[in-house]
Amino acid sequence: MQRKISEKTLYIFEATLEYFISILVAGSFLATLTQELGFSDSLTGILSSVISLGCLFQLISIFILKQRVKGFVITLSIINQLLFTFLYVIPLFDLSRSIKTVIFILSIFTAYLLYNIAHPQKINFLMSLVEDDQRGRFTANKEIFSLATGIVFSYGMGWVIDAFKDRGDIRLSFIISAAAIFLLMLLHTLTLLPIREREITAARSYNLWETIKKILKNKTVFKITLVFILYYIANYASVPFYGVYCINELGFSLKTVTLITVFGSISRIAVSKYWGRYADKNSFAKMIERCFVFLGASFLAMVFAVPANGLIMYTLYMVLHSVALGGVNSALINLIYDYVDVADRANSLATTQAFAGLTGFLTALAISPLVTFIQKSNSIFGITVYAQQAVSLFSLIISAVLIIYIRKVVLKIRRS
């Protein structure tokens, strides 16, 4: 019993260290990197959405026929985290901007490719440590620990980068960031090594297309997949473009952005246990319906965010969005666990996230020209509008559609 508790604790540490790394390669941290490399706002938005495109490669996990995948997961985690480390080294090279751009894009793309190949197997491997009737509360505790420690980490790293940027020595801050990711990679590996792997019987197939068809013919899986897809559309139509909006149009320093993120993290911590208890008592479907209300409200705040009120409205967005994410992230995965048989869970999760991820990336790609077009004049039909306000309105509409879909379709599905 003691070993089981210890392994759950290691799982929490693993998720926390992975979260720290994700902080440094997303949002305003990524925007600071791309700004140094001379990338446009639209290109930065597209790169931010590579996280979504990476989900497409979760389909490759269907071909992993081993019942034991621990070694595979650890190996791919090390490689993708080394590539994340390399992102902060690229600006230091004495190369042309075009070559740096190509290297950066290839590196971040490959990192997320490897991460997502291993992700469904890693989740299946680690979630086997948790009893079904405790998944909501355990996920909440895991997120609370990650967020609480992430507050200190993100603010500290933001302070470091801003300090060296103000001194005109931003490259030294990139070296420190690269060293930080490398250290986190070592610690992350050490948390996975002691965890004992359980053998999990899972449905496998050598034929990718046949496997996808089999899964999507399952009406329940198809209905859940639409939840993922709509959520990814809502998020990736606007969120990837917020990082550069904060740094450029709203004029925030990285310290200011991370301080606002702290408020968001505190909000997420405050609701995580509530969402977990609510899901265990009712269902993850009922929980996510309520989460999407907060998601829509967060996009509504960004519809009205302009330089004059940016600090207030972006803080409001971050708080509301964080309250939503306090339940959404765990609910999406657990919808699969609630409605899909054990043997099909890993493949269903891979397929669902792959389609949703591809949709998210294509959404950001399609929205990017609109962002560029509006930025040229900051107006639509003669009305002063920033690009991020326009895309936020679109995200708000999709959030409303999601709420209706959950209520009319998903809540009527019979749980597995």
Side-chain angles (χ1 to χ4, degrees):
M1 183 66 180
Q2 183 60 39
R3 180 168 188 168
K4 192 171 186 179
I5 295 173
S6 176
E7 287 175 334
K8 286 182 182 179
T9 302
L10 286 171
Y11 182 13
I12 291 174
F13 287 146
E14 179 276 334
T16 299
L17 293 166
E18 192 171 77
Y19 174 61
F20 286 179
I21 294 173
S22 72
I23 288 173
L24 292 178
V25 294
S28 295
F29 285 94
L30 178 63
T32 301
L33 256 178
T34 57
Q35 190 177 51
E36 178 69 15
L37 290 167
F39 292 3
S40 66
D41 287 9
S42 58
L43 179 56
T44 300
I46 291 171
L47 284 178
S48 297
S49 66
V50 167
I51 301 171
S52 172
L53 179 63
C55 294
L56 178 65
F57 299 103
Q58 292 190 16
L59 289 175
I60 298 175
S61 70
I62 291 175
F63 295 109
I64 303 169
L65 305 178
K66 298 177 182 179
Q67 287 184 314
R68 295 187 178 275
V69 296
K70 176 180 170 180
F72 172 81
V73 167
I74 291 175
T75 300
L76 263 63
S77 294
I78 290 173
I79 297 173
N80 86 65
Q81 289 163 8
L82 285 173
L83 285 168
F84 284 144
T85 304
F86 185 59
L87 295 180
Y88 278 93
V89 178
I90 294 172
L92 308 179
F93 293 151
D94 186 19
L95 299 171
S96 67
R97 177 179 295 181
S98 59
I99 293 176
K100 286 183 181 180
T101 299
V102 171
I103 294 174
F104 192 92
I105 291 173
L106 287 176
S107 297
I108 196 170
F109 178 85
T110 306
Y112 280 113
L113 162 66
L114 298 176
Y115 171 84
N116 283 283
I117 289 174
H119 183 69
Q121 303 301 328
K122 187 187 78 170
I123 292 296
N124 225 26
F125 156 44
L126 293 175
M127 284 300 288
S128 68
L129 304 172
V130 186
E131 295 82 357
D132 281 349
D133 62 349
Q134 295 182 17
R135 282 188 279 115
R137 280 163 288 185
F138 175 80
T139 304
N141 290 331
K142 176 165 64 70
E143 286 209 350
I144 287 172
F145 186 79
S146 294
L147 291 166
T149 52
I151 288 173
V152 178
F153 178 80
S154 62
Y155 189 77
M157 291 304 300
W159 181 87
V160 167
I161 293 176
D162 272 346
F164 285 102
K165 186 177 180 180
D166 292 341
R167 285 171 44 183
D169 195 11
I170 192 170
R171 293 193 169 199
L172 183 55
S173 72
F174 290 163
I175 294 173
I176 294 172
S177 298
I181 297 177
F182 184 79
L183 177 60
L184 291 168
M185 180 270 292
L186 295 177
L187 294 173
H188 179 264
T189 303
L190 290 176
T191 61
L192 287 171
L193 287 174
I195 299 178
R196 178 171 53 91
E197 186 174 10
R198 286 90 171 140
E199 286 194 22
I200 301 173
T201 302
R204 302 289 184 192
S205 171
Y206 288 98
N207 189 311
L208 176 63
W209 179 240
E210 288 299 322
T211 301
I212 294 174
K213 284 199 299 184
K214 176 180 179 293
I215 291 171
L216 294 183
K217 280 182 179 178
N218 183 325
K219 292 182 179 179
T220 297
V221 175
F222 182 75
K223 290 174 182 177
I224 299 303
T225 300
L226 287 179
V227 176
F228 278 70
I229 287 174
L230 288 170
Y231 171 69
Y232 272 59
I233 291 173
N235 247 20
Y236 282 89
S238 55
V239 175
F241 303 98
Y242 288 165
V244 287
Y245 190 51
C246 290
I247 299 296
N248 293 336
E249 284 85 353
L250 299 185
F252 297 162
S253 68
L254 203 51
K255 282 187 293 186
T256 300
V257 175
T258 52
L259 185 59
I260 294 172
T261 304
V262 166
F263 285 111
S265 296
I266 292 172
S267 304
R268 190 165 167 180
I269 290 170
V271 300
S272 287
K273 276 188 175 293
Y274 168 77
W275 286 135
R277 287 194 301 267
Y278 186 89
D280 287 338
K281 183 179 179 181
N282 299 280
S283 71
F284 282 96
K286 288 183 179 179
M287 181 188 79
I288 203 171
E289 179 196 11
R290 285 156 178 75
C291 290
F292 286 147
V293 173
F294 287 95
L295 185 73
S298 74
F299 292 130
L300 179 61
M302 287 304 292
V303 169
F304 296 101
V306 293
N309 63 16
L311 186 62
I312 296 173
M313 299 311 293
Y314 186 73
T315 302
L316 181 59
Y317 154 77
M318 184 59 69
V319 169
L320 292 170
H321 198 258
S322 298
V323 169
L325 292 185
V328 169
N329 284 348
S330 65
L332 287 174
I333 292 175
N334 281 293
L335 284 177
I336 296 291
Y337 277 75
D338 268 356
Y339 295 110
V340 180
D341 291 337
V342 174
D344 292 322
R345 284 175 179 174
N347 285 354
S348 296
L349 181 61
T351 304
T352 296
Q353 291 193 325
F355 278 101
L358 177 61
T359 304
F361 178 77
L362 293 177
T363 299
L365 200 62
I367 289 289
S368 180
L370 175 64
V371 171
T372 302
F373 174 76
I374 297 175
Q375 282 182 329
K376 289 179 179 178
S377 61
N378 282 337
S379 68
I380 299 178
F381 305 121
I383 303 172
T384 301
V385 175
Y386 289 94
Q388 283 77 0
Q389 290 180 281
V391 296
S392 296
L393 178 60
F394 178 76
S395 294
L396 171 61
I397 294 170
I398 300 300
S399 299
V401 172
L402 260 171
I403 295 168
I404 296 170
Y405 180 76
I406 293 290
R407 186 168 299 177
K408 299 294 184 181
V409 178
V410 178
L411 285 175
K412 296 181 179 178
I413 304 173
R414 189 171 65 178
R415 295 173 68 180
S416 173

